[in-house]
């Protein structure tokens, strides 16, 4: 099981499947465990048809069990069958009213169906059951930010331990309030703690709005180690274009197209740049 988990984390799904299918697991629930693991691998692999078949086969032994309903709900949610997923997760709660995975999944379904009130209700119930469910707290902070209840959002974030994710969320909250200086400072701290292209883009956007010097510092730092990041290259190309540095812009947009040949905006910009010379 542990070896299959390593393969699954590495994206080697076929090897993970072979390891699980060839495993000699002892005990009366061994076949059910293998089927459960195979369903998870197929979900990660993106083969929803195979995952659905494995989940249905697994559910035949105990169709009303909470774990079986949750698994089938996860498959439905991955297939964007949100109505079916909601039905299955609701059935899970009828069996086990305190089932945290089902409540979390119902919150995600509610967000997908644009029902923030239901998502808020589900996440609050999770916190009642387990006050240390940080993902639920993040979700409640995001929902509060979306409805512009910034005080509530900040109160939720204060309940979280210090982390790059919390700092980034604080930056999102400051940006939503229009305090771009505070947002930029938070995103820089988050990037220093846990660099990523997404945080570098947020740091640039906030720093630009705050009129900070060298707003693209995090973008350049990330690009130096990740030269194929299309989103970062496109932003740096756009910056170069605004500065009139056509050679630099051309190289950035060409890097985007090398990774994503159908990136329309980069193709359009390159066509214009080529036409200039």
């Amino acid at each position: 099981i542990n070896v299959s988990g390593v393969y699954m984390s590495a994206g080697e799904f076929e090897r993970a499947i072979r390891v699980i299918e060839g495993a000699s697991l002892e005990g009366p629930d061994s076949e059910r465990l293998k089927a459960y693991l195979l369903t998870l691998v197929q979900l990660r692999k993106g083969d929803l048809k195979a995952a659905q078949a494995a989940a249905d086969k697994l559910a035949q032994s105990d169709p009303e069990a909470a774990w079986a309903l949750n698994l089938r709900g996860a498959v439905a949610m991955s297939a964007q069958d949100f109505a079916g997923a909601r039905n299955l997760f609701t059935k899970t709660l009828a069996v086990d009213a305190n089932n945290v995975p089902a409540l979390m999944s119902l919150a995600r379904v509610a967000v997908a169906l644009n029902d923030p009130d239901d998502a808020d209700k589900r996440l609050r119930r999770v916190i009642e059951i387990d006050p240390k469910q940080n993902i639920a707290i993040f979700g409640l902070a995001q929902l509060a930010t979306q409805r512009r209840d910034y005080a509530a959002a900040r109160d939720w974030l204060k309940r979280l331990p210090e982390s790059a994710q919390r700092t980034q969320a604080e930056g999102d909250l400051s940006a939503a309030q229009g305090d771009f200086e505070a947002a930029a400072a938070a995103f820089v701290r988050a990037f220093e703690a846990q660099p990523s292209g997404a945080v570098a883009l947020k740091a640039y956007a906030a720093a630009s709005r705050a009129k900070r010097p060298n707003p693209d510092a995090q973008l350049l730092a990330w690009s130096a180690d990740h030269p194929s990041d299309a989103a970062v290259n496109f932003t740096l190309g756009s910056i170069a274009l605004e500065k009139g540095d056509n050679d630099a812009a051309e190289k950035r947009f060409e890097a985007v197209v090398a990774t994503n040949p159908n990136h329309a905006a980069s193709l359009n910009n390159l066509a214009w740049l080529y036409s200039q010379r």
Side-chain angles (χ1 to χ4, degrees):
I1 290 169
N2 288 336
V3 170
S4 71
V6 172
Y7 286 140
M8 189 159 55
S9 297
E12 298 186 35
F13 301 115
E14 295 302 328
R15 296 184 76 175
I17 290 169
R18 288 199 298 272
V19 167
I20 294 168
E21 289 178 336
S24 298
L25 304 177
E26 298 179 357
D29 293 328
S30 61
E31 289 305 312
R32 189 161 62 178
L33 174 60
K34 287 170 71 172
Y36 184 86
L37 292 170
L38 284 171
T39 305
L40 295 180
V41 175
Q42 298 291 6
L43 272 179
R44 287 284 304 277
K45 184 182 175 184
D47 190 341
L48 298 181
K49 186 176 181 180
Q52 182 68 62
D56 289 345
K57 181 180 179 181
L58 187 60
Q60 289 174 3
S61 61
D62 196 356
E64 298 304 315
W67 60 268
L69 291 166
N70 261 341
L71 188 61
R72 291 167 59 203
V75 175
M77 191 160 57
S78 295
Q80 296 191 337
D81 176 9
F82 298 118
R86 174 176 273 180
N87 180 52
L88 289 163
F89 292 131
T90 300
K91 285 184 176 180
T92 302
L93 293 183
V95 176
D96 177 7
N98 294 331
N99 192 291
V100 168
L103 287 164
M104 293 288 290
S105 295
L106 278 169
R108 294 187 182 98
V109 169
V111 169
L113 294 175
N114 196 27
D115 188 352
D117 290 340
D118 187 59
D120 189 272
K121 180 180 75 173
R122 303 296 185 182
L123 293 176
R124 286 178 184 274
R125 177 63 185 140
V126 169
I127 298 302
E128 289 177 3
I129 297 167
D130 182 2
K132 295 184 179 180
Q133 273 285 343
N134 291 343
I135 294 176
I137 295 173
F138 271 116
L140 286 164
Q142 289 175 328
L143 289 168
T145 300
Q146 289 169 11
R147 64 175 182 269
R148 299 186 180 182
D149 187 352
Y150 302 127
R154 201 164 294 281
D155 285 342
W156 283 117
L157 291 177
K158 287 178 180 177
R159 296 176 62 166
L160 293 166
E162 291 286 346
S163 67
Q165 289 78 14
R166 171 180 162 173
T167 303
Q168 183 178 340
E170 289 170 341
D172 290 332
L173 178 56
S174 294
Q177 293 177 279
D179 187 349
F180 297 108
E181 177 59 38
F187 291 137
V188 168
R189 293 198 305 274
F191 183 85
E192 290 172 348
Q194 190 172 327
S196 74
V199 176
L201 287 165
K202 287 186 176 185
Y204 168 71
S208 296
R209 298 286 294 273
K211 301 188 184 306
R212 280 190 160 200
N214 304 317
D216 57 355
Q218 283 68 46
L219 290 174
L220 292 169
W222 178 256
S223 182
D225 294 328
H226 303 83
S228 298
D229 189 309
V232 169
N233 274 320
F234 180 76
T235 302
L236 287 169
S238 300
I239 295 169
L241 199 58
E242 289 177 6
K243 292 179 178 178
D245 189 348
N246 288 5
D247 290 342
E250 198 171 290
K251 290 177 182 178
R252 291 293 180 180
F253 293 132
E254 285 174 342
V256 174
V257 172
T259 304
N260 184 355
N262 296 320
H263 194 280
S266 291
L267 290 169
N268 185 69
N269 290 341
L270 280 171
W272 183 86
L273 285 163
Y274 294 157
S275 75
Q276 297 304 295
R277 59 176 179 82

